[in-house]
Amino acid sequence: DAGITQSPRHKVTETGTPVTLRCHQTENHRYMYWYRQDPGHGLRLIHYSYGVKDTDKGEVSDGYSVSRSKTEDFLLTLESATSSQTSVYFCAISAGDHQPQHFGDGTRLSIL
Amino acid sequence: DAKTTQPPSMDCAEGRAANLPCNHSTISGNEYVYWYRQIHSQGPQYIIHGLKNNETNEMASLIITEDRKSSTLILPHATLRDTAVYYCIVRLTSGTYKYIFGTGTRLKVLA
């Protein structure tokens, strides 16, 4: 399995608080992605990165920001969490733009 | 990216081949077909992908029709551990980095 670690694995927090999720890879892959998964919606792309300091928006980017200061880490930040951001968040990596994406085990985030 | 259509659910007897269909009638010539599966609430697991030719690896076979408008994922000898949701995805070979996940097919392997 691809070396992807997501942290934390579970988090419960309150509305209005900032939250940062971390994705760490040991594969030295160029591309990294953040998805969220909700019942009835499948997986939806939030943001992705195609290199250090190179990021772009996905289909559901409102309320989220990302940073990638080094190859191995991709951070997802909710500046002011809302209940609608309660979800399971998955990080993925890929070696090339048509290479398969490999997913982490997910972070279950609950915002009360 | 082309849209895919999959049956919502299927059953398969343990030890038999599981054939999961996917329709992607609007696929263009430079779009790959990818298959993933998701077991319980784990992260999606890559299975196989292809462009035109049929592909086989240690997990499965991918059969793409000649007109590329549909494909079939074949698990040759299904086991109980193959019970999962299977996603068929198509995306451009380059220039875009995102998958469009549909709702997939829930495969249940029966003992």
Side-chain angles (χ1 to χ4, degrees):
Chain A
D1 287 343
I4 308 168
T5 304
Q6 291 187 233
S7 58
R9 294 295 315 281
H10 302 272
K11 186 173 182 66
V12 180
T13 190
E14 295 183 346
T15 300
T17 60
V19 177
T20 295
L21 308 183
R22 181 185 184 226
C23 178
H24 178 80
Q25 60 145 330
T26 58
E27 305 295 321
N28 200 37
H29 283 351
R30 177 181 174 188
Y31 301 94
M32 299 185 74
Y33 314 80
W34 276 107
Y35 291 85
R36 60 178 288 175
Q37 186 171 33
D38 306 290
H41 288 280
L43 283 95
R44 292 179 291 174
L45 182 67
I46 305 171
H47 282 279
Y48 62 94
S49 170
Y50 46 97
V52 174
K53 298 192 188 310
D54 292 323
T55 65
D56 206 346
K57 297 179 180 180
E59 58 184 313
V60 289
S61 59
D62 287 348
Y64 302 94
S65 62
V66 290
S67 66
R68 190 163 178 209
S69 59
K70 46 187 177 179
T71 299
E72 58 265 35
D73 288 326
F74 193 32
L75 304 181
L76 177 71
T77 297
L78 292 65
E79 300 290 348
S80 177
T82 68
S83 59
S84 65
Q85 294 175 310
T86 291
S87 187
V88 180
Y89 291 85
F90 289 101
C91 172
I93 65 174
S94 69
D97 64 1
H98 64 277
Q99 295 300 311
Q101 294 182 18
H102 298 280
F103 288 78
D105 291 330
T107 293
R108 188 172 297 274
L109 177 63
S110 296
I111 301 165
L112 307 177
Chain B
D1 293 325
K3 182 177 179 180
T4 61
T5 304
Q6 300 176 253
S9 64
M10 294 180 64
D11 291 340
C12 177
E14 189 177 21
R16 303 298 292 269
N19 296 278
L20 292 93
C22 179
N23 183 287
H24 32 79
S25 58
T26 59
I27 195 170
S28 61
N30 58 350
E31 288 184 318
Y32 276 86
V33 179
Y34 293 78
W35 283 84
Y36 284 77
R37 71 181 182 185
Q38 189 172 25
I39 299 173
H40 298 301
S41 56
Q42 299 176 18
Q45 177 189 22
Y46 165 75
I47 301 173
I48 199 167
H49 75 288
L51 182 62
K52 298 179 183 178
N53 301 318
N54 299 336
E55 302 287 345
T56 295
N57 63 19
E58 65 278 5
M59 289 182 67
S61 294
L62 173 60
I63 308 298
I64 303 174
T65 58
E66 190 169 345
D67 63 7
R68 303 187 70 244
K69 294 184 182 301
S70 65
S71 61
T72 300
L73 177 74
I74 301 172
L75 307 179
H77 305 286
T79 71
L80 299 178
R81 287 178 293 182
D82 292 323
T83 292
V85 177
Y86 287 77
Y87 296 99
C88 168
I89 302 159
V90 295
R91 65 184 289 264
L92 296 174
T93 55
S94 64
T96 181
Y97 306 105
K98 65 177 182 178
Y99 291 154
I100 304 294
F101 279 84
T103 52
T105 296
R106 186 172 297 277
L107 175 69
K108 186 174 183 180
V109 179
L110 306 173

